């Protein structure tokens, strides 16, 4: 399920958006993997596979520690 949260109209300055931190945290975790730091892949299928591998590796590391 994809839900797009928009910034409230008429508000100036910093505003906390609901649950946006979850996505930013996930991108931060995935950005730690060298292969995902840059776009080296030629096809989107390979890029998606590398994202799955990084996620699996992270989960295995959490389970084993």
């Amino acid at each position: 399920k994809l839900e797009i949260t928009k910034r409230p109209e008429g508000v100036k300055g910093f505003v906390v958006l609901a649950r946006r931190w979850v996505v930013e945290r996930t991108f931060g975790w995935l950005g730690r993997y060298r292969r995902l730091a840059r776009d080296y892949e030629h096809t989107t299928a390979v890029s998606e596979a590398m994202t799955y591998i990084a996620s699996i590796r992270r989960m295995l590391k959490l389970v084993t520690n």
Side-chain angles (χ1 to χ4, degrees):
K1 179 180 174 185
L2 178 65
E3 180 181 329
I4 298 173
T5 57
K6 294 186 178 185
R7 183 180 169 88
E9 292 184 24
V11 177
K12 291 186 178 182
F14 178 77
V15 177
V16 177
L17 299 177
R19 303 282 297 174
R20 184 175 179 152
W21 62 271
V22 175
V23 175
E24 292 173 356
R25 178 190 63 188
T26 304
F27 286 148
W29 288 337
L30 293 176
R32 291 181 184 162
Y33 295 94
R34 182 177 164 267
R35 187 99 183 232
L36 296 174
R38 301 281 186 265
D39 191 18
Y40 295 120
E41 313 307 331
H42 293 286
T43 63
T44 57
V46 176
S47 183
E48 181 181 359
M50 293 309 296
T51 304
Y52 281 125
I53 290 171
S55 299
I56 291 168
R57 182 176 173 203
R58 176 162 167 56
M59 290 302 294
L60 286 173
K61 193 173 186 179
L62 287 173
V63 170
T64 58
N65 284 338

